[in-house]
Amino acid sequence: MASEAGLSGSDAKRALDTFTDATTKALEKDDSAVLVGFGSFSISKRSARTGKSGVPKRACRRLAGDVRRLPGVRGRPRSQPRQG
């Protein structure tokens, strides 16, 4: 990452840490964080439901909770390389 951006290793680490911290803080506030050309990080609520356990395939109760989401970029097929 550092060599591709023309940064020193410590500058690249600082940039990545800053992005990670800002994204974490936004998600903790139930906000979203957008990285242009990559995707949008967000939190969604999932209600309690009944699911299936692993091997025995018995019904089990799944608790409600928050789910982190990172949908792909719309409008650009995954097989198409980015321009730039």
Side-chain angles (χ1 to χ4, degrees):
M1 185 172 103
S3 62
E4 289 289 321
L7 300 172
S8 69
S10 61
D11 287 342
K13 181 181 181 330
R14 196 169 323 126
L16 183 60
D17 289 344
T18 301
F19 168 74
T20 304
D21 292 343
T23 302
T24 301
K25 288 176 185 175
L27 295 178
E28 286 173 350
K29 295 179 193 175
D30 288 335
D31 202 359
S32 64
V34 178
L35 184 58
V36 176
F38 184 74
S40 175
F41 298 87
S42 63
I43 296 283
S44 64
K45 305 290 182 189
R46 183 166 48 190
S47 60
R49 66 199 188 287
T50 302
K52 299 275 187 180
S53 65
V55 176
K57 302 292 183 194
R58 283 184 258 160
C60 62
R61 197 173 112 231
R62 307 282 182 178
L63 300 176
D66 293 337
V67 180
R68 292 172 296 282
R69 303 242 183 232
L70 175 62
V73 176
R74 292 192 174 105
R76 180 174 60 87
R78 291 193 184 277
S79 61
Q80 180 183 351
R82 274 191 280 176
Q83 301 296 321

